[in-house]
Amino acid sequence: MGKENYYQELKRFSKGLGVDLFGVADISQAKEGFALTAELSEKLKRAVSLGVRLSEGVLEEIQGAPNKLYFHHYRTANSFLDQVAFKVAHHIQKKGFLALAIPASQILDWQKQSAHLSHKKVGVLAGLGWIGRNNLLVNKALGSQFRLATVLTDMPLKADRISKEDCGSCRLCIEVCPAGAIKDDPAQFDHLSCFEKLKEFQAKRLADQYICGVCVKACCGSGEE
Ligand code: SF4
Ligand code: SF4
């Protein structure tokens, strides 16, 4: 079977599990920061990026700060993605290839905000979108209103092309950010102010994790897939 066929078959399988976004990244030259052993990392040349859309209704209820409904939804979406990634990895393995599912939300070091890898960077390489002013992956159709998981593999999949788009003239998230962390230039995103605000929300027990959702709500995309 050729790369295109492997790609299309895996895409069909993944979409059948309920994912809204599917893309494949060539990671052969992009493994910097992966928290994996060099031996395993060396073998994995492709990353499958899987995304599921968040609920418009739940996001609608966010009024300047996270709430219990969003926190539950966030965890449910992550748990759904972990199940999907597990099934995709299992499917790849049954076909005789190596596969490693990376959890949707598992932080290894909260201060450094480090994980096994960055799902959003993989998403960029997989052509799903660009890093927006809000420092999140932005997809043309869904904005930032989705969650991601990744499956690494040595399956010979066709790789997608990186998107050439960006936020353009949109500035919707800048005015709503309660930390003033979002700037005109995406490279100037103020990570520290954002993280301090997330800590403040968590200390107030608005959510039992460092999440916010305000800039996710603002970034709604075109809606056209
Ligand atoms: S997560 Fe919240 S505090 Fe951080 S940039 Fe987005 S809106 Fe601002
Ligand atoms: S709301 Fe607009 S400016 Fe902000 S990240 Fe999304 S597309 Fe970019």
Side-chain angles (χ1 to χ4, degrees):
M1 200 146 93
K3 287 181 180 182
E4 176 71 33
N5 289 346
Y6 276 121
Y7 177 98
Q8 293 301 341
E9 195 278 330
L10 195 63
K11 184 174 181 176
R12 265 196 308 278
F13 179 80
S14 303
K15 291 265 179 173
L17 295 173
V19 299
D20 300 296
L21 300 176
F22 175 95
V24 174
D26 176 357
I27 52 159
S28 44
Q29 306 297 323
K31 294 175 192 166
E32 203 184 324
F34 280 20
L36 299 172
T37 60
E39 290 80 4
L40 181 61
S41 195
E42 177 58 30
K43 296 178 194 160
L44 303 164
K45 312 275 191 224
R46 292 287 185 268
V48 183
S49 191
L50 304 158
V52 69
R53 187 179 179 187
L54 292 172
S55 156
E56 227 178 302
V58 170
L59 292 171
E60 197 57 40
E61 280 294 285
I62 295 176
Q63 302 293 328
N67 57 34
K68 298 285 182 200
L69 203 58
Y70 179 61
F71 178 50
H72 180 77
H73 185 60
Y74 177 89
R75 285 199 303 184
T76 305
N78 289 337
S79 162
F80 172 80
L81 278 167
D82 284 340
Q83 293 288 326
V84 167
F86 180 93
K87 288 178 185 172
V88 169
H90 184 250
H91 183 73
I92 292 173
Q93 190 163 282
K94 275 207 296 189
K95 292 196 173 292
F97 299 102
L98 193 57
L100 177 66
I102 306 294
S105 177
Q106 187 181 56
I107 300 291
L108 298 177
D109 184 324
W110 273 106
Q111 282 309 318
K112 293 183 192 153
Q113 288 284 292
S114 66
H116 284 98
L117 54 73
S118 163
H119 295 296
K120 67 182 175 185
K121 285 185 187 157
V122 170
V124 169
L125 294 174
L128 295 184
W130 63 93
I131 301 299
R133 294 193 164 91
N134 60 3
N135 196 42
L136 298 171
L137 180 64
V138 182
N139 174 264
K140 194 176 176 185
L142 302 183
S144 291
Q145 300 184 349
F146 59 91
R147 295 287 307 157
L148 287 171
T150 305
V151 177
L152 303 177
T153 182
D154 63 354
M155 188 181 236
L157 294 160
K158 175 193 85 172
D160 283 293
R161 291 214 181 106
I162 296 175
S163 163
K164 290 197 170 76
E165 296 186 87
D166 59 24
C167 292
S169 59
C170 177
R171 288 183 172 56
L172 287 174
C173 54
I174 296 181
E175 49 212 61
V176 296
C177 172
I182 306 177
K183 314 292 179 192
D184 209 55
D185 178 358
Q188 299 299 313
F189 180 83
D190 186 345
H191 296 265
L192 202 60
S193 296
C194 172
F195 190 50
E196 287 304 318
K197 186 55 75 178
L198 303 196
K199 284 203 281 190
E200 191 186 309
F201 288 149
Q202 204 257 356
K204 288 182 185 163
R205 313 297 294 177
L206 298 180
D208 292 329
Q209 218 170 320
Y210 297 131
I211 61 170
C212 170
V214 174
C215 56
V216 172
K217 177 183 176 181
C219 190
C220 54
S222 67
E224 291 165 19
E225 288 182 56

Tab-separated table of all heavy atoms in Angstrom, residues 85-118:
chain	number	residue	atom	x	y	z
A	85	ALA	N	-7.295	8.427	20.382
A	85	ALA	CA	-5.865	8.205	20.113
A	85	ALA	C	-5.479	6.760	20.434
A	85	ALA	O	-4.687	6.144	19.718
A	85	ALA	CB	-5.023	9.191	20.919
A	86	PHE	N	-6.061	6.230	21.511
A	86	PHE	CA	-5.806	4.826	21.869
A	86	PHE	C	-6.255	3.909	20.723
A	86	PHE	O	-5.519	3.009	20.310
A	86	PHE	CB	-6.582	4.494	23.159
A	86	PHE	CG	-6.402	3.082	23.634
A	86	PHE	CD1	-5.423	2.754	24.555
A	86	PHE	CD2	-7.211	2.056	23.141
A	86	PHE	CE1	-5.260	1.431	24.988
A	86	PHE	CE2	-7.051	0.743	23.559
A	86	PHE	CZ	-6.074	0.431	24.486
A	87	LYS	N	-7.456	4.167	20.196
A	87	LYS	CA	-7.997	3.311	19.123
A	87	LYS	C	-7.197	3.468	17.824
A	87	LYS	O	-6.972	2.494	17.107
A	87	LYS	CB	-9.473	3.641	18.880
A	87	LYS	CG	-10.360	3.138	20.013
A	87	LYS	CD	-11.803	3.521	19.792
A	87	LYS	CE	-12.640	3.120	20.999
A	87	LYS	NZ	-14.003	3.619	20.957
A	88	VAL	N	-6.777	4.696	17.528
A	88	VAL	CA	-5.986	4.927	16.312
A	88	VAL	C	-4.639	4.208	16.436
A	88	VAL	O	-4.187	3.535	15.500
A	88	VAL	CB	-5.808	6.443	16.048
A	88	VAL	CG1	-4.783	6.694	14.955
A	88	VAL	CG2	-7.157	7.066	15.664
A	89	ALA	N	-4.013	4.331	17.592
A	89	ALA	CA	-2.713	3.667	17.812
A	89	ALA	C	-2.870	2.145	17.720
A	89	ALA	O	-2.040	1.445	17.127
A	89	ALA	CB	-2.143	4.073	19.168
A	90	HIS	N	-3.959	1.643	18.284
A	90	HIS	CA	-4.232	0.205	18.253
A	90	HIS	C	-4.435	-0.265	16.810
A	90	HIS	O	-3.926	-1.303	16.391
A	90	HIS	CB	-5.481	-0.061	19.109
A	90	HIS	CG	-5.826	-1.501	19.251
A	90	HIS	ND1	-6.940	-2.060	18.657
A	90	HIS	CD2	-5.206	-2.512	19.896
A	90	HIS	CE1	-6.981	-3.345	18.942
A	90	HIS	NE2	-5.942	-3.657	19.691
A	91	HIS	N	-5.158	0.540	16.040
A	91	HIS	CA	-5.428	0.236	14.631
A	91	HIS	C	-4.113	0.181	13.832
A	91	HIS	O	-3.889	-0.728	13.036
A	91	HIS	CB	-6.340	1.346	14.076
A	91	HIS	CG	-6.766	1.154	12.671
A	91	HIS	ND1	-7.690	0.212	12.280
A	91	HIS	CD2	-6.408	1.806	11.524
A	91	HIS	CE1	-7.874	0.283	10.979
A	91	HIS	NE2	-7.108	1.237	10.489
A	92	ILE	N	-3.244	1.159	14.072
A	92	ILE	CA	-1.949	1.205	13.364
A	92	ILE	C	-1.110	-0.018	13.735
A	92	ILE	O	-0.505	-0.672	12.881
A	92	ILE	CB	-1.198	2.513	13.719
A	92	ILE	CG1	-1.935	3.732	13.142
A	92	ILE	CG2	0.237	2.466	13.214
A	92	ILE	CD1	-1.370	5.086	13.570
A	93	GLN	N	-1.117	-0.330	15.031
A	93	GLN	CA	-0.317	-1.476	15.502
A	93	GLN	C	-0.800	-2.786	14.880
A	93	GLN	O	0.009	-3.649	14.520
A	93	GLN	CB	-0.387	-1.537	17.030
A	93	GLN	CG	0.586	-2.533	17.636
A	93	GLN	CD	0.789	-2.267	19.111
A	93	GLN	OE1	1.523	-1.364	19.482
A	93	GLN	NE2	0.133	-3.041	19.936
A	94	LYS	N	-2.118	-2.920	14.732
A	94	LYS	CA	-2.675	-4.142	14.123
A	94	LYS	C	-2.227	-4.293	12.680
A	94	LYS	O	-2.186	-5.378	12.131
A	94	LYS	CB	-4.209	-4.106	14.178
A	94	LYS	CG	-4.754	-4.619	15.497
A	94	LYS	CD	-6.156	-5.199	15.383
A	94	LYS	CE	-7.151	-4.155	14.989
A	94	LYS	NZ	-8.542	-4.581	15.049
A	95	LYS	N	-1.885	-3.156	12.053
A	95	LYS	CA	-1.419	-3.205	10.666
A	95	LYS	C	0.093	-3.439	10.595
A	95	LYS	O	0.693	-3.392	9.520
A	95	LYS	CB	-1.789	-1.910	9.953
A	95	LYS	CG	-3.292	-1.782	9.781
A	95	LYS	CD	-3.668	-0.732	8.771
A	95	LYS	CE	-5.158	-0.734	8.494
A	95	LYS	NZ	-5.645	-1.919	7.803
A	96	GLY	N	0.720	-3.632	11.761
A	96	GLY	CA	2.133	-4.013	11.790
A	96	GLY	C	3.111	-2.865	11.970
A	96	GLY	O	4.317	-3.037	11.746
A	97	PHE	N	2.612	-1.689	12.398
A	97	PHE	CA	3.512	-0.550	12.591
A	97	PHE	C	3.549	-0.130	14.063
A	97	PHE	O	2.686	-0.508	14.849
A	97	PHE	CB	3.057	0.625	11.720
A	97	PHE	CG	3.067	0.312	10.261
A	97	PHE	CD1	1.893	0.019	9.580
A	97	PHE	CD2	4.274	0.271	9.555
A	97	PHE	CE1	1.898	-0.295	8.233
A	97	PHE	CE2	4.293	-0.036	8.201
A	97	PHE	CZ	3.109	-0.323	7.537
A	98	LEU	N	4.551	0.680	14.342
A	98	LEU	CA	4.723	1.205	15.697
A	98	LEU	C	3.803	2.417	15.867
A	98	LEU	O	3.687	3.232	14.948
A	98	LEU	CB	6.188	1.635	15.823
A	98	LEU	CG	6.798	1.947	17.171
A	98	LEU	CD1	6.671	0.780	18.121
A	98	LEU	CD2	8.269	2.315	16.959
A	99	ALA	N	3.179	2.538	17.031
A	99	ALA	CA	2.325	3.716	17.275
A	99	ALA	C	2.374	4.082	18.752
A	99	ALA	O	2.373	3.209	19.622
A	99	ALA	CB	0.893	3.426	16.865
A	100	LEU	N	2.421	5.368	19.018
A	100	LEU	CA	2.477	5.854	20.391
A	100	LEU	C	1.497	7.013	20.546
A	100	LEU	O	1.648	8.061	19.908
A	100	LEU	CB	3.905	6.337	20.699
A	100	LEU	CG	4.138	6.941	22.073
A	100	LEU	CD1	3.975	5.907	23.167
A	100	LEU	CD2	5.532	7.540	22.148
A	101	ALA	N	0.475	6.806	21.375
A	101	ALA	CA	-0.528	7.859	21.612
A	101	ALA	C	-0.016	8.784	22.719
A	101	ALA	O	0.348	8.334	23.798
A	101	ALA	CB	-1.851	7.222	22.015
A	102	ILE	N	-0.008	10.082	22.416
A	102	ILE	CA	0.408	11.086	23.408
A	102	ILE	C	-0.855	11.669	24.046
A	102	ILE	O	-1.756	12.121	23.329
A	102	ILE	CB	1.230	12.228	22.747
A	102	ILE	CG1	2.417	11.655	21.964
A	102	ILE	CG2	1.672	13.250	23.773
A	102	ILE	CD1	3.479	10.981	22.800
A	103	PRO	N	-0.948	11.677	25.373
A	103	PRO	CA	-2.166	12.168	26.037
A	103	PRO	C	-2.556	13.582	25.608
A	103	PRO	O	-1.692	14.423	25.339
A	103	PRO	CB	-1.793	12.143	27.525
A	103	PRO	CG	-0.648	11.200	27.623
A	103	PRO	CD	0.085	11.254	26.325
A	104	ALA	N	-3.867	13.810	25.560
A	104	ALA	CA	-4.375	15.123	25.148
A	104	ALA	C	-3.951	16.222	26.120
A	104	ALA	O	-3.687	17.350	25.722
A	104	ALA	CB	-5.896	15.072	25.041
A	105	SER	N	-3.904	15.887	27.393
A	105	SER	CA	-3.564	16.915	28.382
A	105	SER	C	-2.819	16.289	29.549
A	105	SER	O	-3.417	15.904	30.554
A	105	SER	CB	-4.843	17.585	28.883
A	105	SER	OG	-4.558	18.524	29.885
A	106	GLN	N	-1.530	16.157	29.403
A	106	GLN	CA	-0.717	15.619	30.500
A	106	GLN	C	0.537	16.470	30.601
A	106	GLN	O	1.433	16.387	29.770
A	106	GLN	CB	-0.355	14.156	30.245
A	106	GLN	CG	0.335	13.511	31.446
A	106	GLN	CD	0.713	12.075	31.163
A	106	GLN	OE1	1.417	11.792	30.194
A	106	GLN	NE2	0.248	11.172	31.983
A	107	ILE	N	0.567	17.309	31.626
A	107	ILE	CA	1.707	18.193	31.817
A	107	ILE	C	2.775	17.450	32.635
A	107	ILE	O	2.464	16.812	33.640
A	107	ILE	CB	1.268	19.480	32.561
A	107	ILE	CG1	0.200	20.228	31.748
A	107	ILE	CG2	2.456	20.378	32.865
A	107	ILE	CD1	0.669	20.855	30.464
A	108	LEU	N	4.031	17.537	32.194
A	108	LEU	CA	5.119	16.896	32.935
A	108	LEU	C	5.692	17.864	33.968
A	108	LEU	O	6.132	17.456	35.033
A	108	LEU	CB	6.233	16.446	31.975
A	108	LEU	CG	5.815	15.401	30.926
A	108	LEU	CD1	6.973	15.083	29.990
A	108	LEU	CD2	5.312	14.120	31.583
A	109	ASP	N	5.711	19.168	33.627
A	109	ASP	CA	6.233	20.173	34.558
A	109	ASP	C	5.374	21.441	34.417
A	109	ASP	O	5.399	22.096	33.373
A	109	ASP	CB	7.700	20.486	34.204
A	109	ASP	CG	8.330	21.463	35.198
A	109	ASP	OD1	7.631	22.368	35.679
A	109	ASP	OD2	9.537	21.310	35.474
A	110	TRP	N	4.591	21.758	35.457
A	110	TRP	CA	3.655	22.887	35.371
A	110	TRP	C	4.378	24.222	35.256
A	110	TRP	O	3.935	25.105	34.543
A	110	TRP	CB	2.718	22.906	36.587
A	110	TRP	CG	1.513	22.055	36.365
A	110	TRP	CD1	1.252	20.840	36.926
A	110	TRP	CD2	0.412	22.320	35.490
A	110	TRP	NE1	0.063	20.335	36.450
A	110	TRP	CE2	-0.481	21.221	35.570
A	110	TRP	CE3	0.085	23.380	34.643
A	110	TRP	CZ2	-1.661	21.158	34.839
A	110	TRP	CZ3	-1.095	23.319	33.910
A	110	TRP	CH2	-1.959	22.214	34.012
A	111	GLN	N	5.506	24.388	35.989
A	111	GLN	CA	6.221	25.667	35.916
A	111	GLN	C	6.759	25.918	34.510
A	111	GLN	O	6.624	26.995	33.958
A	111	GLN	CB	7.379	25.686	36.939
A	111	GLN	CG	6.924	25.935	38.370
A	111	GLN	CD	6.029	27.161	38.523
A	111	GLN	OE1	6.270	28.201	37.938
A	111	GLN	NE2	4.971	27.032	39.327
A	112	LYS	N	7.354	24.855	33.934
A	112	LYS	CA	7.908	24.998	32.570
A	112	LYS	C	6.836	24.774	31.511
A	112	LYS	O	7.087	24.961	30.325
A	112	LYS	CB	9.032	23.980	32.354
A	112	LYS	CG	10.256	24.235	33.210
A	112	LYS	CD	11.328	23.212	32.876
A	112	LYS	CE	12.435	23.253	33.912
A	112	LYS	NZ	13.131	21.983	34.057
A	113	GLN	N	5.624	24.363	31.959
A	113	GLN	CA	4.523	24.075	31.031
A	113	GLN	C	4.957	23.064	29.965
A	113	GLN	O	4.655	23.225	28.781
A	113	GLN	CB	4.048	25.375	30.359
A	113	GLN	CG	3.280	26.294	31.285
A	113	GLN	CD	1.854	25.798	31.521
A	113	GLN	OE1	1.030	25.791	30.632
A	113	GLN	NE2	1.586	25.355	32.730
A	114	SER	N	5.705	22.035	30.401
A	114	SER	CA	6.216	21.073	29.422
A	114	SER	C	5.405	19.772	29.424
A	114	SER	O	4.855	19.370	30.450
A	114	SER	CB	7.697	20.777	29.699
A	114	SER	OG	7.822	20.114	30.930
A	115	ALA	N	5.343	19.156	28.244
A	115	ALA	CA	4.644	17.879	28.082
A	115	ALA	C	5.522	16.974	27.214
A	115	ALA	O	6.653	17.339	26.899
A	115	ALA	CB	3.300	18.121	27.419
A	116	HIS	N	5.002	15.801	26.832
A	116	HIS	CA	5.810	14.914	25.980
A	116	HIS	C	6.115	15.582	24.641
A	116	HIS	O	7.159	15.368	24.052
A	116	HIS	CB	5.092	13.578	25.754
A	116	HIS	CG	5.156	12.683	26.948
A	116	HIS	ND1	4.145	12.571	27.864
A	116	HIS	CD2	6.147	11.875	27.396
A	116	HIS	CE1	4.499	11.738	28.818
A	116	HIS	NE2	5.708	11.296	28.563
A	117	LEU	N	5.168	16.376	24.189
A	117	LEU	CA	5.373	17.188	22.980
A	117	LEU	C	4.287	18.254	22.964
A	117	LEU	O	3.363	18.232	23.772
A	117	LEU	CB	5.336	16.333	21.708
A	117	LEU	CG	4.141	15.417	21.425
A	117	LEU	CD1	2.880	16.168	21.022
A	117	LEU	CD2	4.492	14.442	20.322
A	118	SER	N	4.405	19.180	22.028
A	118	SER	CA	3.387	20.223	21.889
A	118	SER	C	2.399	19.814	20.797
A	118	SER	O	2.752	19.754	19.621
A	118	SER	CB	4.074	21.551	21.525
A	118	SER	OG	3.122	22.453	21.014
